[in-house]
Amino acid sequence: MAAQADTIEVPTDAELLQAQADLWRHSLYYLSSMGLRCAVQLGIPTTIHRLGGFASLPDLMAELSLPSVKMPFLSRLMRVLVASGVFAADKDSESGGELYRLTPLSRILVDGVDADEHHSQKYFVLGVTSPHCAEAALGLADWFKKDLEPPVPSPFEDLHGAPIFDERTPLMDEEFDAVANQGLAAHDNLGIATILRECGDIFKGLESLTDCCGGDGTTARALVKAYPHIKCTVLDLPKVIDKAPTDGVVYYVAGDLFHTVPSSQAVMLKLVLHFWSDEDCVKILTQCKKAIPPRDEGGKVIIIDIVIGPSLGPIMFEAQLLMDMLMMVNTRGAQRSENDWRKLFVEAGFKDYKIVKKLGARCVIEVYP
């Protein structure tokens, strides 16, 4: 074996050149993330939107009040963001320069727009690219070498001394905590209208539903608007419920889903379980099972989460795997394959489940007692 370790297969010239380019891409992907963060911090997506959907480089320089000496550098930033699909660019027939426009990706980064189906992902970007999260990822190798007692803390928790989305997080950095929570809310609410359009049948016939970790009730209110006959209850921590609107459309209950879930015909867990370990997920699902009636009375748990698998193609699969890395670095949770989900359902005492539909990188799952 030692003799084999001293030799290595030499790639062909073409393979070597491709390997070098791949090495650059993988080593420097963080610059694409930081470029996106920069664009969000500067407000470039919102600025292009306010300029009517198109903007030249001089337009952006003027609207953003940037020093003129920075124009060549902004051009280079925009070039890489166009190449990565954040923005699109056309040639301006008059000036011959680039005319930048929004893509679907940059549209969901536009801030300050009041629309039912628009949930700006500005704070999601700022949260996941923050120094706190980046530092946790930079410490991965050291974290792997540590012989930690279970339950094993995430690299984030191990480094900063508190889990993300914890009551101790504001003591670590109040501004980061606010950004992270705003990013979480925006991320969770994105796409609920699509779910109602594409999977509306799962809500038909329901009389009541509890939205666990439903935050300020944005998702629940959208559900009631589409299905007024459903009595919707939002369960969340007291610190969240204290800030929730009291409009009478949705009922709010302050509590902990590890201890009790309000009784209802269906319980919804939308992007909740990926934050938790397998053991904790079983505890949560067990409480959900206690809260619902038998299957023949319409009892079910609705889960909206990622189901890892390559069937949707390499881009979606990569997005799912990167989201799993995000969970590994910053939480004790994970993104799961269908087999992983099945094991959790069985252990929590459920009899059956059905993947209703795949929507982008996420799936809608019904789980039956």
Side-chain angles (χ1 to χ4, degrees):
M1 294 295 293
Q4 291 180 0
D6 291 337
T7 63
I8 190 169
E9 181 182 351
V10 178
T12 66
D13 290 343
E15 289 172 337
L16 181 64
L17 294 173
Q18 184 60 52
Q20 184 182 52
D22 289 340
L23 178 65
W24 290 350
R25 287 190 306 109
H26 288 290
S27 300
L28 302 176
Y29 267 147
Y30 77 95
L31 290 174
S32 180
S33 299
M34 291 303 112
L36 177 61
R37 176 181 175 86
C38 174
V40 169
Q41 288 177 311
L42 291 175
I44 294 175
T46 303
T47 299
I48 293 175
H49 173 72
R50 289 176 178 168
L51 288 170
F54 295 89
S56 65
L57 200 61
D59 291 336
L60 290 176
M61 292 294 297
E63 289 294 320
L64 298 172
S65 300
L66 299 178
S68 59
V69 69
K70 297 296 175 61
M71 184 180 287
F73 304 101
L74 182 62
S75 175
R76 290 159 69 182
L77 173 66
M78 294 301 292
R79 180 171 60 185
V80 75
L81 293 176
V82 167
S84 61
V86 178
F87 300 106
D90 304 301
K91 283 292 181 184
D92 187 340
S93 57
E94 295 182 5
S95 68
E98 300 286 347
L99 200 58
Y100 302 105
R101 54 185 168 84
L102 300 177
T103 64
L105 193 164
S106 45
R107 284 193 197 103
I108 62 174
L109 297 173
V110 173
D111 201 27
V113 175
D114 186 17
D116 286 344
E117 297 186 23
H118 182 77
H119 302 282
S120 174
Q121 300 301 295
K122 168 185 175 179
Y123 289 104
F124 174 78
V125 173
L126 296 180
V128 299
T129 61
S130 67
H132 294 84
C133 292
E135 287 168 11
L138 286 170
L140 262 177
D142 290 335
W143 176 81
F144 268 108
K145 294 174 185 176
K146 287 185 179 180
D147 189 9
L148 300 167
E149 290 293 323
V152 177
S154 69
F156 183 100
E157 183 180 354
D158 184 54
L159 176 66
H160 299 299
I164 198 170
F165 308 123
D166 188 80
E167 60 185 13
R168 292 168 288 169
T169 313
L171 301 177
M172 177 184 71
D173 188 321
E174 191 170 352
E175 182 179 354
F176 167 74
D177 181 64
V179 168
N181 277 285
Q182 286 177 280
L184 176 66
H187 176 258
D188 287 0
N189 290 323
L190 183 69
I192 183 59
T194 303
I195 292 169
L196 292 173
R197 282 191 293 268
E198 297 290 327
C199 305
D201 287 348
I202 66 174
F203 301 108
K204 289 180 179 177
L206 288 180
E207 296 177 359
S208 59
L209 178 142
T210 296
D211 184 8
C212 290
C213 300
D216 65 359
T218 297
T219 294
R221 284 196 300 276
L223 183 57
V224 171
K225 183 178 179 180
Y227 301 97
H229 62 280
I230 300 179
K231 176 187 174 183
C232 276
T233 301
V234 169
L235 171 69
D236 216 315
L237 296 173
K239 66 176 184 178
V240 177
I241 298 300
D242 288 346
K243 300 176 183 178
T246 54
D247 52 16
V249 176
V250 172
Y251 300 88
Y252 294 91
V253 174
D256 185 341
L257 79 170
F258 281 96
H259 298 113
T260 184
V261 173
S263 297
S264 56
Q265 195 175 11
V267 171
M268 184 163 67
L269 295 163
K270 181 168 61 66
L271 301 173
V272 172
L273 296 178
H274 63 198
F275 286 110
W276 300 101
S277 67
D278 288 352
E279 294 77 13
D280 285 337
C281 284
V282 171
K283 293 176 184 177
I284 293 168
L285 287 167
T286 300
Q287 292 299 327
C288 293
K289 186 171 178 288
K290 292 178 182 178
I292 59 176
R295 182 176 182 176
D296 58 9
E297 295 177 23
K300 61 185 176 182
V301 175
I302 299 168
I303 295 175
I304 301 168
D305 220 315
I306 287 174
V307 178
I308 288 181
S311 63
L312 296 173
I315 293 177
M316 284 292 183
F317 188 41
E318 182 184 34
Q320 291 177 331
L321 296 178
L322 288 173
M323 285 296 291
D324 183 50
M325 286 295 292
L326 181 70
M327 294 298 108
M328 187 183 85
V329 171
N330 295 292
T331 77
R332 297 185 185 184
Q335 309 295 352
R336 296 173 171 92
S337 67
E338 182 175 352
N339 192 48
D340 295 330
W341 284 111
R342 184 187 299 112
K343 290 177 181 177
L344 295 182
F345 302 152
V346 170
E347 193 169 345
F350 288 89
K351 297 292 191 295
D352 199 8
Y353 74 95
K354 178 175 71 174
I355 294 180
V356 178
K357 192 160 190 175
K358 296 178 180 179
L359 296 172
R362 305 172 182 174
C363 282
V364 177
I365 310 170
E366 287 186 330
V367 192
Y368 311 109

